[in-house]
Amino acid sequence: MSSQPPWSDVFGHPEPYPEQAEGIDAAVEAADEGGFLALEGACGTGKTMLALTAGIDRVRDPDSPFERVFVLTSVKQQLRQFEEDLQTINENRPEDHRPVSGITLVGKADVCPYARENRGGIDTTNVYERCEGLRDRTRSLVGDGGSTTAESLAANARSQQVGLADSGGSAGTGGAEFLSVDGEPTPYRPDTEEHEGTEYCPFYAGYLADLPEDGEPVEAVPFDVTDRGHVDATELVRLAAGAGSCPHSVMGALVPEVEVVIGNYYHAFDPTTTGSFTGALLEESTFVVCDEAHMLEPRVRDLVSDGVADRSLRDAIAELTRVVQPVRFDDEGQYTDDADVVRGEIADSDVSIEDVERVREFYEALRGELDRRVVEHLDREQPDWRADPDRLDDAEIPLRDPDSPGVDEISAWAEENDYGDRVWALAPAVGAVAERVLHELEGEDAQRAAPGVGRTVNAWYREDHETFFRAIDLERTWDEAEPPDDWRRVYNARLALFNCLPSRAIGDRLAEFGGGILMSATLEPMDVFREVTGLDHLAESGRPVLERTHGLTFPPENRESLAVDVPKYTHDNRGAPGEGTETRLAHLDATVEVARRPGNVLVGMPNYAEAEWMAGELDDRLEKPVLIDESSGDHVTESLKDDFFAGDGKVLVTSLRGTLTEGVDYRGDRLHAAVVCGVPIINTARPRTRAVVAAYDERFGDGFETALTVPAVRKARQAIGRVIRGADERGVRVLLDARYARDSWNGVREYLPEHEREEFQPASPDMLGVALDRFERSE
């Protein structure tokens, strides 16, 4: 480069790719105008470094209003990539430049010293409830009217160790036993402490003791973050717990102070999380980075959707009954001290005891109506369900016509039964009162159902019927406590409030930031992406939105890219797994042609059932090992990846809607080829899918294209993007389906960006082997 750009001292490598430099400049330009850059960049082209460089440059510019970079990603692999690139930036900073400070946001289970070591009656299953209870009791001990101070509580916990150590005993024999976290000793015992019979958390007491009365929370951080660079979860626990302070509280104190915050989408879009933890980041001084932005719409849709389960209704009814009973017993002459507690909390609220009773009555009636509808559905769809409950599958009961927005049947039922506006509106306030009363009466570490139920019930009444689709979700479970002939023995039913159109929620949240970048390897078509993420709405309000699309710039001779014209792999064409249809045989033959070649081969199928079929067929035809990915937890998936990467070449068959085709790093020789069979459009028969299509039809025009086809093509593109990650890598990328190869009434070739349409030239099945042979000879 003839002249160094202003951001060159931030960039972590000697020279950027030309596309990286262009992207950084565009992101800086957009941010300076309060706008956003929508960037599509092929896998391996340095988007992470690009985004960090642009954001940090704005933060470090004294004339810029930005104070921090807030990174959001939905993939753990990408979170680690941001951590690594930030470390690279710091390692290559000039010696006289201070490092860029950063922190990774994680949940309490990841940083609680007791949960990490499974001590103090705290583990990953109860950490949130136990933590909140211990914090409440610690605050009650040191707050107004408390019996002691945080300093005394922390000092007492430390003195327990000092006394034990001075006794000369050894750990496990009555002597000193310190809680160690990941090998780092802490100043406290392995269990929580008590003060005058009240259990408290010494780590939280230590944090409160360091918290200045009138100062900033960051002053309670027991280490200097400015010279440490990035602090990940492990380092945070070591530094905070080792100093006797609560790591999670320290993390919260650091959130508005560091220059780079790395987190998940829910840290910006989940109402509960932003309300209690990350709200300080939602401001104009934040440069936001939305990574894997093609997933922004579906992930945020889940976060801004809601629901209330039958069991939650049951628990809320019990809680409201517990609130009402002492007062009614008192009215009947059976006085207890509990009645005064309830009356005191009611007097400080905006609701009456009659309001609590009315809401409780409504919940009971609502639960009865839910029961009636579930039984009616099961009797209609599977009349013998009571005799053979094991045959029941997950199900969805729509509460209106999915194809035509209108008032749902539960809302109509409530109106007909005199549960009008007031009872819906009262639900949140009643839930809040119940939570306070039960805390006073029982003081347990329990997550109360009434507040959440109240908020959801109110949203059900408040939200419109075009954006939101209401249904009853039936999820398979098993509860031995329920009678054998009751559906609750095998199902948990949930009143689901499903957000079909999250674009406004996304756009409104993005508008709170000062600017930033939304990026992915698969954003095209850009016009669709801008519509469904609310960027067009921002542009209309005067916030500029720039676009950049960068294809692979690595040597084209290192890759073979083919769109093979085999029959469309649709549900109707292929038939059921096991049927020897022309479509199945054509896709199988083509996949075998690729998979029999040397090296690791990834095969993506429309769903897990199809993946199971393909894996079985390949196992019969190939000599190399065939691995099958099934819908499973992270641990099993990581083990499968390790098996795939180890040793000689293998075939890994998975669903294109799974986790192995996005965000996984197949760098180097980990992957030689990727094959995509079909277009992974989700089940269009599901009521909520039809509701989404109808909502998109109303808002954007072609709902099927916008809501289903474009996201499906992005899934396919993500899979083939795993192959080439660097300039020295070679590989094969094959799209199997006539819809990729030629223009037709339901073709998808137009949804590939122009540079991919040029690369993925159509090929007939008989030319596939010829093309692959030619590519192998060119090595």
Side-chain angles (χ1 to χ4, degrees):
M1 299 175 65
S2 58
S3 61
Q4 295 294 314
W7 43 260
S8 60
D9 65 335
V10 175
F11 191 76
H13 301 294
E15 291 286 342
Y17 298 128
E19 291 75 15
Q20 276 183 310
E22 181 188 358
I24 295 169
D25 287 337
V28 169
E29 176 187 347
D32 282 345
E33 298 297 324
F36 298 86
L37 170 66
L39 170 71
E40 174 174 311
C43 297
T45 54
K47 295 187 297 297
T48 304
M49 183 62 74
L50 181 162
L52 285 174
T53 300
I56 295 169
D57 173 73
R58 293 297 79 210
V59 171
R60 288 288 175 99
D61 187 334
D63 297 324
S64 169
F66 292 99
E67 297 178 359
R68 71 191 63 84
V69 181
F70 189 14
V71 174
L72 307 172
T73 182
S74 61
V75 181
K76 288 183 178 179
Q77 173 74 31
Q78 289 302 104
L79 184 147
R80 289 190 287 270
Q81 186 62 55
F82 276 101
E83 292 179 330
E84 292 172 4
D85 278 16
L86 183 53
Q87 182 179 355
T88 299
I89 288 174
N90 281 329
E91 289 174 349
N92 290 280
R93 297 280 288 163
E95 290 186 5
D96 59 342
H97 288 57
R98 62 183 171 86
V100 180
S101 60
I103 192 168
T104 299
L105 303 182
V106 294
K108 288 180 181 178
D110 294 308
V111 293
C112 172
Y114 295 119
R116 285 173 73 105
E117 299 298 323
N118 196 22
R119 299 301 297 261
I122 304 175
D123 56 35
T124 56
T125 65
N126 69 355
V127 60
Y128 291 93
E129 294 177 3
R130 285 280 285 149
C131 176
E132 288 306 309
L134 286 167
R135 285 187 173 191
D136 287 345
R137 286 193 287 277
T138 306
R139 284 191 294 263
S140 70
L141 287 170
V142 304
D144 292 339
S147 60
T148 186
T149 65
E151 291 81 1
S152 295
L153 290 179
N156 177 69
R158 291 175 185 268
S159 69
Q160 298 292 325
Q161 286 291 34
V162 173
L164 287 169
D166 289 345
S167 70
S170 60
T173 61
E177 183 185 358
F178 293 81
L179 175 67
S180 292
V181 187
D182 299 335
E184 180 73 18
T186 75
Y188 309 126
R189 296 187 303 175
D191 295 303
T192 57
E193 298 288 347
E194 286 191 5
H195 175 77
E196 297 179 353
T198 299
E199 184 187 24
Y200 71 92
C201 174
F203 291 98
Y204 188 58
Y207 172 77
L208 294 178
D210 293 336
L211 193 64
E213 187 171 337
D214 298 317
E216 295 294 329
V218 70
E219 297 178 41
V221 176
F223 55 89
D224 184 1
V225 71
T226 56
D227 294 325
R228 289 191 172 274
H230 180 260
V231 178
D232 62 15
T234 300
E235 181 76 350
L236 175 68
V237 173
R238 184 184 71 81
L239 293 169
S245 191
C246 168
H248 192 265
S249 297
V250 169
M251 180 170 63
L254 287 173
V255 161
E257 305 297 329
V258 297
E259 294 169 288
V260 178
V261 179
I262 302 174
N264 202 305
Y265 282 152
Y266 68 80
H267 288 118
F269 292 98
D270 176 59
T272 301
T273 303
T274 56
S276 62
F277 191 59
T278 53
L281 300 174
L282 310 179
E283 55 182 30
E284 293 181 354
S285 60
T286 298
F287 181 103
V288 68
V289 176
C290 290
D291 185 43
E292 300 294 333
H294 68 285
M295 290 299 295
L296 189 58
E297 177 197 12
R299 291 294 167 86
V300 174
R301 176 184 286 126
D302 289 340
L303 293 173
V304 296
S305 296
D306 208 343
V308 57
D310 171 72
R311 293 171 184 172
S312 297
L313 277 173
R314 176 197 63 192
D315 293 343
I317 292 167
E319 291 166 9
L320 298 187
T321 300
R322 177 74 174 92
V323 171
V324 170
Q325 277 182 339
V327 175
R328 292 310 176 216
F329 285 163
D330 183 31
D331 292 342
E332 296 171 2
Q334 304 175 48
Y335 173 77
T336 66
D337 292 340
D338 292 354
D340 290 338
V341 173
V342 175
R343 285 197 172 95
E345 292 293 342
I346 291 288
D348 292 337
S349 73
D350 295 326
V351 301
S352 66
I353 196 68
E354 287 76 22
D355 292 332
V356 178
E357 288 185 313
R358 180 62 172 165
V359 171
R360 181 190 63 173
E361 175 193 329
F362 174 51
Y363 289 172
E364 288 176 335
L366 181 58
R367 193 170 183 234
E369 179 64 8
L370 176 62
D371 175 75
R372 185 189 70 78
R373 288 179 176 274
V374 172
V375 171
E376 182 182 80
H377 168 81
L378 294 176
D379 286 346
R380 180 177 63 252
E381 300 297 325
Q382 193 168 322
D384 62 344
W385 65 271
R386 292 178 179 83
D388 191 9
D390 287 338
R391 290 176 53 196
L392 294 176
D393 295 320
D394 289 356
E396 181 180 0
I397 308 172
L399 294 171
R400 68 161 169 85
D401 181 357
D403 302 315
S404 179
V407 176
D408 67 279
E409 295 170 1
I410 289 292
S411 297
W413 161 84
E415 186 69 24
E416 292 169 1
N417 287 272
D418 297 325
Y419 296 113
D421 296 351
R422 179 168 171 74
V423 71
W424 294 96
L426 280 170
V430 167
V433 167
E435 184 176 43
R436 293 196 299 272
V437 167
L438 293 175
H439 180 74
E440 289 293 321
L441 294 181
E442 300 173 359
E444 297 177 355
D445 297 342
Q447 185 76 31
R448 304 299 178 184
V453 170
R455 288 190 296 269
T456 303
V457 163
N458 181 255
W460 187 285
Y461 151 79
R462 188 182 66 251
E463 300 293 359
D464 67 80
H465 293 273
E466 294 179 357
T467 303
F468 288 84
F469 176 67
R470 293 154 174 84
I472 298 172
D473 285 344
L474 297 178
E475 182 183 8
R476 277 283 312 204
T477 184
W478 190 259
D479 188 349
E480 291 283 357
E482 297 291 348
D485 61 346
D486 192 322
W487 58 264
R488 293 182 175 92
R489 189 178 180 90
V490 291
Y491 272 137
N492 184 28
R494 181 172 178 268
L495 290 165
L497 182 64
F498 183 70
N499 191 324
C500 299
L501 279 170
S503 59
R504 180 55 61 89
I506 298 171
D508 288 347
R509 180 47 45 86
L510 291 176
E512 297 183 51
F513 299 109
I517 179 171
L518 293 82
M519 62 187 196
S520 170
T522 55
L523 292 189
E524 292 281 3
M526 281 291 188
D527 59 336
V528 175
F529 176 74
R530 290 174 55 133
E531 285 179 339
V532 301
T533 55
L535 286 177
D536 276 347
H537 178 68
L538 289 176
E540 291 168 2
S541 67
R543 306 284 295 271
V545 178
L546 305 184
E547 300 176 12
R548 295 291 187 275
T549 298
H550 299 149
L552 279 173
T553 57
F554 306 133
E557 61 270 18
N558 284 357
R559 57 188 183 269
E560 183 68 49
S561 307
L562 299 167
V564 182
D565 190 4
V566 290
K568 300 172 183 178
Y569 202 72
T570 63
H571 182 272
D572 290 340
N573 282 357
R574 65 183 182 247
E579 292 185 20
T581 61
E582 176 188 355
T583 298
R584 285 191 179 277
L585 291 177
H587 280 260
L588 176 59
D589 290 343
T591 302
V592 168
E593 184 63 56
V594 180
R596 69 179 181 82
R597 310 279 169 157
N600 283 346
V601 178
L602 179 70
V603 178
M605 303 298 292
N607 54 54
Y608 282 109
E610 290 299 322
E612 183 179 4
W613 168 79
M614 178 62 79
E617 295 294 326
L618 292 177
D619 197 41
D620 290 340
R621 291 205 189 189
L622 298 174
E623 294 182 3
K624 63 167 61 173
V626 177
L627 307 178
I628 172 67
D629 173 36
E630 299 173 317
S631 181
S632 56
D634 289 342
H635 178 74
V636 175
T637 301
E638 288 298 317
S639 177
L640 181 65
K641 282 165 48 181
D642 291 342
D643 290 345
F644 185 53
F645 296 152
D648 296 332
K650 304 176 187 67
V651 179
L652 174 57
V653 189
T654 185
S655 165
L656 290 164
R657 311 202 70 83
T659 60
L660 289 174
T661 56
E662 295 191 35
V664 179
D665 189 357
Y666 295 95
R667 64 183 181 277
D669 60 357
R670 289 181 170 186
L671 192 63
H672 174 72
V675 180
V676 167
C677 290
V679 182
I681 295 174
I682 61 176
N683 182 3
T684 57
R686 190 178 184 188
R688 71 179 50 185
T689 303
R690 291 162 52 200
V692 169
V693 171
Y696 276 61
D697 268 332
E698 182 69 23
R699 178 72 63 87
F700 304 123
D702 190 337
F704 193 93
E705 171 197 50
T706 307
L708 301 183
T709 305
V710 168
V713 174
R714 288 184 182 137
K715 291 287 186 183
R717 294 181 59 216
Q718 280 286 326
I720 61 172
R722 301 302 104 196
V723 180
I724 304 294
R725 310 284 293 184
D728 298 328
E729 295 185 11
R730 288 176 56 86
V732 172
R733 308 179 300 167
V734 178
L735 296 170
L736 295 179
D737 195 297
R739 288 170 288 182
Y740 296 113
R742 44 179 150 135
D743 296 324
S744 62
W745 71 271
N746 64 346
V748 299
R749 191 170 178 81
E750 63 179 298
Y751 303 121
L752 301 176
E754 182 178 354
H755 65 88
E756 285 187 0
R757 289 198 298 272
E758 292 175 357
E759 284 211 34
F760 282 86
Q761 290 298 313
S764 61
D766 58 330
M767 291 301 296
L768 174 59
V770 174
L772 296 180
D773 290 340
R774 182 177 63 243
F775 179 69
E776 289 180 0
R777 288 194 300 270
S778 69
E779 187 170 0

